[in-house]
Amino acid sequence: MIIEADRGFDIIGDIHGCADELVKLLDLLGYKRQNGIWQHSKRMAIFVGDLIDRGPKIREVLHLVHEMVVKQAAICLMGNHEFAALAWYVIDHEGNYVREHSQRNEQLIEQTLQQFAAYPNDWHDFRQWFYQLPLILDAERFRVVHACWHQQTIANLRYQYPNCTIDDTFIVNTKYKDEVAFDALKYLLTGPCMPLPNGMTMTDSLGYTRNMFRSKFWQQNPKTFGDIVFQPDYLPAELAQTPLTEAEYQRLHYYAAHEPLLFIGHYWMKGEPAAITNNIACVDYSAVRQGKLVAYRLDDEKNLDNRKFVWVDCK
Ligand SMILES: [Mn+2]
């Protein structure tokens, strides 16, 4: 993976099958379709993962991005949806699918399977390609990961998987707590969560009952649950005021303000794209659900600049 010093980078958020919007975004960013491949003479696209599921043109997105990657016009990272698509087919030591074929999981992958139903060879080939997608990109000056940069997990991952790509053993090992694969799925692809205290549950915006909520990993000295909850999950008001115990505080992950610029996707942000902190930007603004497909145009800035977000509205 070659990161040239004088190149600019366009970090592009979760696409989820929105091929028309992706073409519009690339056009807006000054990429041109040459010899069938979208490319830019001075810039490179970096996709944060989650190309598939939900949207109307998943095959088209995969063909477009795959061709860009092959021609080194882009780098693509793995998202939790690509991971789930691989795990859908992998059998664990007990003879079960690693990704349970439950109704909920089936709903999530349904669009992808339907749209590839008449193209089984393509779907097989794209899944083989997913095994080549790295979980992280560390360009020193900046970093990219689908959900959360967790340094200890990344150090352990690199030790066992120097390319930071996964295989079937890794997929099976995501079920075992003492394996690096477990932490990699939990932090890098899914993002840190906190259990609700005292066995409480809540109902999320999709109607599912949850006993966990997504927690911020950039909050300095949080005191209460309200300080660490990360939208779109909400917390009941009384819980938001509840102080964190020392044990809960110790479990929190913190990406410090002095660390390199970090780009993530995954979180279904809403509203006008803006950096989360001076050094963390999320480029997932809920494409598909009347959201936006978002890119951040990175040059050589040291701090993120909200004027450098570019986006197209999704239908
Ligand atoms: Mn996503």
Side-chain angles (χ1 to χ4, degrees), residues 13-16 48-52 54 79-81 146 214 265-268 284 286-287:
D14 305 30
I15 303 168
H16 290 303
V48 302
D50 278 10
L51 307 179
I52 64 167
R54 297 199 176 109
N80 58 309
H81 283 254
H146 187 66
R214 279 181 179 159
H266 189 62
Y267 292 102
W268 302 5
D284 178 23
S286 320

Side-chain angles (χ1 to χ4, degrees), residues 75-119:
I75 293 169
C76 184
L77 302 193
M78 176 168 286
N80 58 309
H81 283 254
E82 284 78 40
F83 172 84
L86 294 178
W88 186 256
Y89 296 91
V90 175
I91 308 280
D92 68 15
H93 300 312
E94 282 81 47
N96 302 312
Y97 288 110
V98 174
R99 177 83 172 164
E100 190 195 341
H101 287 199
S102 62
Q103 197 187 0
R104 181 181 181 178
N105 289 344
E106 196 159 1
Q107 276 171 4
L108 284 169
I109 198 172
E110 188 177 39
Q111 277 303 320
T112 301
L113 297 183
Q114 273 179 18
Q115 291 173 35
F116 274 105
Y119 306 89

